[in-house]
Short mmCIF file of all heavy atoms in Angstrom, two decimals:
data_model
loop_
_atom_site.label_atom_id
_atom_site.label_comp_id
_atom_site.label_asym_id
_atom_site.label_seq_id
_atom_site.Cartn_x
_atom_site.Cartn_y
_atom_site.Cartn_z
N PRO A 1 -24.95 -9.88 59.49
CA PRO A 1 -25.93 -10.08 58.43
C PRO A 1 -26.14 -11.57 58.13
O PRO A 1 -25.28 -12.40 58.44
CB PRO A 1 -25.33 -9.36 57.23
CG PRO A 1 -23.88 -9.28 57.50
CD PRO A 1 -23.71 -9.27 58.99
N PRO A 2 -27.27 -11.90 57.53
CA PRO A 2 -27.52 -13.30 57.15
C PRO A 2 -26.41 -13.82 56.24
O PRO A 2 -25.86 -13.09 55.42
CB PRO A 2 -28.84 -13.24 56.38
CG PRO A 2 -29.47 -11.95 56.78
CD PRO A 2 -28.35 -11.02 57.14
N GLY A 3 -26.06 -15.10 56.42
CA GLY A 3 -25.04 -15.72 55.58
C GLY A 3 -23.63 -15.59 56.12
O GLY A 3 -22.70 -16.16 55.57
N VAL A 4 -23.46 -14.81 57.20
CA VAL A 4 -22.15 -14.62 57.82
C VAL A 4 -22.17 -15.36 59.16
O VAL A 4 -23.14 -15.30 59.89
CB VAL A 4 -21.85 -13.12 58.02
CG1 VAL A 4 -20.56 -12.91 58.80
CG2 VAL A 4 -21.76 -12.42 56.68
N PRO A 5 -21.10 -16.08 59.50
CA PRO A 5 -21.07 -16.81 60.77
C PRO A 5 -21.28 -15.90 61.97
O PRO A 5 -20.88 -14.73 61.96
CB PRO A 5 -19.67 -17.43 60.81
CG PRO A 5 -19.21 -17.44 59.41
CD PRO A 5 -19.86 -16.26 58.74
N VAL A 6 -21.90 -16.44 62.99
CA VAL A 6 -22.17 -15.71 64.23
C VAL A 6 -21.29 -16.30 65.34
O VAL A 6 -20.74 -17.40 65.19
CB VAL A 6 -23.66 -15.78 64.62
CG1 VAL A 6 -24.52 -15.09 63.56
CG2 VAL A 6 -24.10 -17.21 64.82
N PRO A 7 -21.14 -15.57 66.46
CA PRO A 7 -20.33 -16.11 67.55
C PRO A 7 -20.72 -17.54 67.92
O PRO A 7 -21.90 -17.87 68.03
CB PRO A 7 -20.60 -15.12 68.69
CG PRO A 7 -20.83 -13.82 67.98
CD PRO A 7 -21.62 -14.21 66.75
N GLY A 8 -19.69 -18.38 68.05
CA GLY A 8 -19.88 -19.79 68.35
C GLY A 8 -19.77 -20.68 67.13
O GLY A 8 -19.44 -21.85 67.24
N ASP A 9 -20.03 -20.13 65.93
CA ASP A 9 -19.89 -20.91 64.70
C ASP A 9 -18.41 -21.19 64.44
O ASP A 9 -17.54 -20.41 64.82
CB ASP A 9 -20.45 -20.14 63.49
CG ASP A 9 -21.96 -20.08 63.45
OD1 ASP A 9 -22.62 -20.76 64.27
OD2 ASP A 9 -22.49 -19.35 62.59
N VAL A 10 -18.14 -22.30 63.74
CA VAL A 10 -16.78 -22.64 63.34
C VAL A 10 -16.70 -22.51 61.82
O VAL A 10 -17.44 -23.16 61.09
CB VAL A 10 -16.37 -24.05 63.80
CG1 VAL A 10 -14.99 -24.41 63.28
CG2 VAL A 10 -16.41 -24.14 65.32
N LEU A 11 -15.82 -21.65 61.36
CA LEU A 11 -15.62 -21.36 59.95
C LEU A 11 -14.50 -22.23 59.41
O LEU A 11 -13.43 -22.31 60.02
CB LEU A 11 -15.27 -19.86 59.81
CG LEU A 11 -14.83 -19.34 58.46
CD1 LEU A 11 -15.98 -19.40 57.48
CD2 LEU A 11 -14.35 -17.91 58.60
N ALA A 12 -14.74 -22.87 58.28
CA ALA A 12 -13.73 -23.68 57.59
C ALA A 12 -13.13 -24.76 58.48
O ALA A 12 -12.00 -25.18 58.28
CB ALA A 12 -12.64 -22.80 57.00
N GLY A 13 -13.86 -25.18 59.49
CA GLY A 13 -13.39 -26.24 60.36
C GLY A 13 -12.26 -25.87 61.30
O GLY A 13 -11.72 -26.71 62.00
N LYS A 14 -11.88 -24.56 61.32
CA LYS A 14 -10.73 -24.19 62.15
C LYS A 14 -10.80 -22.84 62.82
O LYS A 14 -9.98 -22.55 63.69
CB LYS A 14 -9.43 -24.30 61.35
CG LYS A 14 -9.40 -23.51 60.08
CD LYS A 14 -8.14 -23.81 59.28
CE LYS A 14 -8.25 -23.25 57.88
NZ LYS A 14 -7.11 -23.62 57.05
N TYR A 15 -11.75 -21.97 62.45
CA TYR A 15 -11.83 -20.64 63.05
C TYR A 15 -13.15 -20.53 63.83
O TYR A 15 -14.22 -20.47 63.24
CB TYR A 15 -11.79 -19.54 61.98
CG TYR A 15 -10.61 -19.63 61.06
CD1 TYR A 15 -10.77 -20.02 59.73
CD2 TYR A 15 -9.33 -19.32 61.50
CE1 TYR A 15 -9.69 -20.10 58.87
CE2 TYR A 15 -8.25 -19.39 60.64
CZ TYR A 15 -8.43 -19.78 59.32
OH TYR A 15 -7.35 -19.85 58.48
N ARG A 16 -13.09 -20.48 65.16
CA ARG A 16 -14.30 -20.32 65.98
C ARG A 16 -14.58 -18.83 66.13
O ARG A 16 -13.76 -18.08 66.68
CB ARG A 16 -14.15 -20.96 67.35
CG ARG A 16 -15.44 -20.81 68.19
CD ARG A 16 -15.41 -21.53 69.52
NE ARG A 16 -15.36 -22.97 69.30
CZ ARG A 16 -14.31 -23.75 69.60
NH1 ARG A 16 -13.23 -23.24 70.15
NH2 ARG A 16 -14.35 -25.04 69.38
N ILE A 17 -15.72 -18.38 65.64
CA ILE A 17 -16.09 -16.98 65.69
C ILE A 17 -16.38 -16.57 67.13
O ILE A 17 -17.10 -17.26 67.85
CB ILE A 17 -17.33 -16.70 64.79
CG1 ILE A 17 -17.06 -17.15 63.35
CG2 ILE A 17 -17.73 -15.24 64.86
CD1 ILE A 17 -15.88 -16.48 62.67
N GLU A 18 -15.80 -15.43 67.55
CA GLU A 18 -15.96 -14.95 68.93
C GLU A 18 -16.89 -13.75 69.04
O GLU A 18 -17.79 -13.73 69.86
CB GLU A 18 -14.60 -14.57 69.51
CG GLU A 18 -13.66 -15.75 69.66
CD GLU A 18 -12.32 -15.36 70.26
OE1 GLU A 18 -11.84 -14.22 70.02
OE2 GLU A 18 -11.76 -16.19 70.98
N ARG A 19 -16.62 -12.71 68.23
CA ARG A 19 -17.42 -11.49 68.34
C ARG A 19 -17.17 -10.58 67.13
O ARG A 19 -16.21 -10.78 66.39
CB ARG A 19 -17.09 -10.74 69.62
CG ARG A 19 -15.72 -10.11 69.65
CD ARG A 19 -15.41 -9.48 71.02
NE ARG A 19 -14.20 -8.71 71.01
CZ ARG A 19 -12.97 -9.20 70.98
NH1 ARG A 19 -12.77 -10.49 70.92
NH2 ARG A 19 -11.92 -8.41 70.98
N VAL A 20 -18.01 -9.58 67.00
CA VAL A 20 -17.85 -8.57 65.96
C VAL A 20 -16.84 -7.55 66.45
O VAL A 20 -16.96 -7.04 67.57
CB VAL A 20 -19.19 -7.89 65.63
CG1 VAL A 20 -19.00 -6.77 64.63
CG2 VAL A 20 -20.21 -8.90 65.11
N LEU A 21 -15.84 -7.26 65.63
CA LEU A 21 -14.86 -6.22 65.96
C LEU A 21 -15.29 -4.87 65.41
O LEU A 21 -15.06 -3.84 66.04
CB LEU A 21 -13.48 -6.57 65.41
CG LEU A 21 -12.78 -7.76 66.06
CD1 LEU A 21 -11.49 -8.09 65.31
CD2 LEU A 21 -12.48 -7.45 67.51
N GLY A 22 -15.88 -4.87 64.22
CA GLY A 22 -16.30 -3.62 63.61
C GLY A 22 -16.94 -3.84 62.27
O GLY A 22 -16.87 -4.93 61.69
N ALA A 23 -17.58 -2.79 61.79
CA ALA A 23 -18.23 -2.84 60.48
C ALA A 23 -18.07 -1.50 59.80
O ALA A 23 -17.96 -0.47 60.46
CB ALA A 23 -19.71 -3.18 60.64
N GLY A 24 -18.01 -1.55 58.48
CA GLY A 24 -17.91 -0.34 57.69
C GLY A 24 -18.93 -0.38 56.57
O GLY A 24 -19.84 -1.20 56.59
N GLY A 25 -18.76 0.47 55.60
CA GLY A 25 -19.70 0.54 54.50
C GLY A 25 -19.69 -0.69 53.62
O GLY A 25 -20.71 -1.02 52.99
N MET A 26 -18.57 -1.40 53.55
CA MET A 26 -18.44 -2.55 52.65
C MET A 26 -18.24 -3.88 53.36
O MET A 26 -18.49 -4.92 52.78
CB MET A 26 -17.25 -2.33 51.71
CG MET A 26 -17.34 -1.12 50.82
SD MET A 26 -18.46 -1.34 49.46
CE MET A 26 -17.55 -2.45 48.43
N GLY A 27 -17.75 -3.84 54.61
CA GLY A 27 -17.40 -5.11 55.23
C GLY A 27 -17.65 -5.17 56.72
O GLY A 27 -18.01 -4.19 57.36
N LEU A 28 -17.44 -6.35 57.24
CA LEU A 28 -17.61 -6.67 58.64
C LEU A 28 -16.39 -7.46 59.08
O LEU A 28 -15.94 -8.35 58.36
CB LEU A 28 -18.88 -7.52 58.80
CG LEU A 28 -19.22 -8.04 60.18
CD1 LEU A 28 -19.76 -6.90 61.03
CD2 LEU A 28 -20.27 -9.13 60.06
N VAL A 29 -15.82 -7.13 60.25
CA VAL A 29 -14.65 -7.84 60.75
C VAL A 29 -15.01 -8.51 62.07
O VAL A 29 -15.56 -7.88 62.97
CB VAL A 29 -13.45 -6.90 60.94
CG1 VAL A 29 -12.24 -7.66 61.47
CG2 VAL A 29 -13.09 -6.20 59.63
N LEU A 30 -14.71 -9.81 62.14
CA LEU A 30 -15.01 -10.61 63.31
C LEU A 30 -13.73 -11.09 63.97
O LEU A 30 -12.75 -11.38 63.27
CB LEU A 30 -15.84 -11.84 62.91
CG LEU A 30 -17.10 -11.60 62.09
CD1 LEU A 30 -17.66 -12.92 61.59
CD2 LEU A 30 -18.12 -10.86 62.92
N ALA A 31 -13.73 -11.20 65.29
CA ALA A 31 -12.63 -11.84 66.00
C ALA A 31 -12.94 -13.33 66.02
O ALA A 31 -14.10 -13.73 66.18
CB ALA A 31 -12.52 -11.31 67.43
N ALA A 32 -11.92 -14.14 65.82
CA ALA A 32 -12.10 -15.60 65.83
C ALA A 32 -10.88 -16.24 66.49
O ALA A 32 -9.83 -15.62 66.61
CB ALA A 32 -12.29 -16.13 64.41
N TRP A 33 -11.04 -17.49 66.89
CA TRP A 33 -9.97 -18.26 67.50
C TRP A 33 -9.58 -19.38 66.55
O TRP A 33 -10.44 -20.15 66.13
CB TRP A 33 -10.44 -18.84 68.83
CG TRP A 33 -9.36 -19.55 69.58
CD1 TRP A 33 -9.23 -20.90 69.71
CD2 TRP A 33 -8.27 -18.97 70.29
NE1 TRP A 33 -8.11 -21.19 70.45
CE2 TRP A 33 -7.50 -20.02 70.83
CE3 TRP A 33 -7.86 -17.65 70.51
CZ2 TRP A 33 -6.36 -19.80 71.58
CZ3 TRP A 33 -6.71 -17.44 71.26
CH2 TRP A 33 -5.99 -18.51 71.79
N HIS A 34 -8.30 -19.43 66.15
CA HIS A 34 -7.82 -20.51 65.31
C HIS A 34 -7.68 -21.73 66.21
O HIS A 34 -6.81 -21.77 67.09
CB HIS A 34 -6.48 -20.15 64.67
CG HIS A 34 -6.06 -21.06 63.56
ND1 HIS A 34 -5.89 -22.41 63.73
CD2 HIS A 34 -5.80 -20.81 62.26
CE1 HIS A 34 -5.53 -22.96 62.59
NE2 HIS A 34 -5.46 -22.00 61.68
N ILE A 35 -8.53 -22.71 66.03
CA ILE A 35 -8.62 -23.86 66.92
C ILE A 35 -7.33 -24.68 66.92
O ILE A 35 -6.86 -25.12 67.97
CB ILE A 35 -9.82 -24.74 66.53
CG1 ILE A 35 -11.12 -23.95 66.72
CG2 ILE A 35 -9.85 -26.03 67.33
CD1 ILE A 35 -12.34 -24.59 66.07
N VAL A 36 -6.73 -24.88 65.77
CA VAL A 36 -5.53 -25.71 65.66
C VAL A 36 -4.29 -24.98 66.19
O VAL A 36 -3.52 -25.53 66.97
CB VAL A 36 -5.30 -26.16 64.20
CG1 VAL A 36 -4.02 -26.97 64.08
CG2 VAL A 36 -6.50 -26.97 63.70
N LEU A 37 -4.10 -23.75 65.78
CA LEU A 37 -2.90 -22.99 66.17
C LEU A 37 -3.05 -22.28 67.51
O LEU A 37 -2.08 -21.72 68.01
CB LEU A 37 -2.55 -21.98 65.08
CG LEU A 37 -2.20 -22.56 63.71
CD1 LEU A 37 -1.90 -21.44 62.73
CD2 LEU A 37 -1.05 -23.54 63.81
N GLU A 38 -4.26 -22.27 68.05
CA GLU A 38 -4.55 -21.64 69.34
C GLU A 38 -4.08 -20.19 69.37
O GLU A 38 -3.28 -19.79 70.22
CB GLU A 38 -3.95 -22.46 70.49
CG GLU A 38 -4.53 -23.85 70.59
CD GLU A 38 -3.99 -24.66 71.75
OE1 GLU A 38 -2.96 -24.28 72.35
OE2 GLU A 38 -4.61 -25.68 72.06
N ARG A 39 -4.61 -19.41 68.44
CA ARG A 39 -4.31 -17.98 68.41
C ARG A 39 -5.50 -17.23 67.84
O ARG A 39 -6.29 -17.78 67.08
CB ARG A 39 -3.05 -17.69 67.61
CG ARG A 39 -3.17 -18.03 66.13
CD ARG A 39 -1.90 -17.79 65.38
NE ARG A 39 -1.75 -16.38 65.09
CZ ARG A 39 -0.85 -15.88 64.28
NH1 ARG A 39 0.03 -16.67 63.71
NH2 ARG A 39 -0.78 -14.61 64.06
N ARG A 40 -5.63 -15.99 68.24
CA ARG A 40 -6.72 -15.14 67.77
C ARG A 40 -6.40 -14.62 66.37
O ARG A 40 -5.25 -14.30 66.06
CB ARG A 40 -6.93 -13.99 68.75
CG ARG A 40 -8.13 -13.14 68.42
CD ARG A 40 -8.69 -12.41 69.61
NE ARG A 40 -9.36 -13.38 70.49
CZ ARG A 40 -8.96 -13.72 71.71
NH1 ARG A 40 -7.89 -13.18 72.23
NH2 ARG A 40 -9.62 -14.60 72.42
N VAL A 41 -7.43 -14.54 65.55
CA VAL A 41 -7.32 -13.99 64.20
C VAL A 41 -8.50 -13.04 63.98
O VAL A 41 -9.45 -13.04 64.75
CB VAL A 41 -7.32 -15.10 63.11
CG1 VAL A 41 -6.10 -15.99 63.22
CG2 VAL A 41 -8.60 -15.92 63.15
N ALA A 42 -8.42 -12.26 62.93
CA ALA A 42 -9.52 -11.41 62.49
C ALA A 42 -10.02 -11.96 61.16
O ALA A 42 -9.22 -12.36 60.32
CB ALA A 42 -9.05 -9.97 62.34
N VAL A 43 -11.33 -12.00 61.00
CA VAL A 43 -11.93 -12.52 59.77
C VAL A 43 -12.79 -11.42 59.16
O VAL A 43 -13.70 -10.91 59.80
CB VAL A 43 -12.78 -13.78 60.02
CG1 VAL A 43 -13.31 -14.33 58.70
CG2 VAL A 43 -11.99 -14.84 60.78
N LYS A 44 -12.46 -11.06 57.93
CA LYS A 44 -13.18 -9.99 57.24
C LYS A 44 -14.13 -10.59 56.20
O LYS A 44 -13.75 -11.47 55.44
CB LYS A 44 -12.18 -9.05 56.54
CG LYS A 44 -12.82 -7.89 55.83
CD LYS A 44 -11.76 -6.98 55.25
CE LYS A 44 -12.38 -5.80 54.53
NZ LYS A 44 -11.35 -4.91 53.98
N PHE A 45 -15.36 -10.10 56.20
CA PHE A 45 -16.38 -10.50 55.23
C PHE A 45 -16.89 -9.27 54.50
O PHE A 45 -16.98 -8.19 55.09
CB PHE A 45 -17.59 -11.12 55.94
CG PHE A 45 -17.39 -12.53 56.39
CD1 PHE A 45 -16.92 -12.78 57.66
CD2 PHE A 45 -17.69 -13.59 55.57
CE1 PHE A 45 -16.73 -14.08 58.09
CE2 PHE A 45 -17.51 -14.89 55.99
CZ PHE A 45 -17.02 -15.13 57.25
#
């Protein structure tokens, strides 16, 4: 949805958005890469 980062965007200067993992009635979960720690994380909006 508008206002939510899309793949390739960097969130908070440290999380590179990779793809959508899933969506429900209230939220959306994205896979992201923590640039500094070099590990995958999930970001919920």
Side-chain angles (χ1 to χ4, degrees):
V4 174
V6 296
D9 286 352
V10 176
L11 171 67
K14 56 187 168 185
Y15 306 109
R16 181 174 294 113
I17 303 301
E18 295 180 328
R19 70 185 188 286
V20 175
L21 291 174
M26 299 284 287
L28 177 74
V29 180
L30 307 171
W33 185 255
H34 193 301
I35 297 166
V36 177
L37 298 179
E38 298 182 346
R39 65 182 281 190
R40 186 156 288 113
V41 295
V43 183
K44 182 177 180 179
F45 283 91

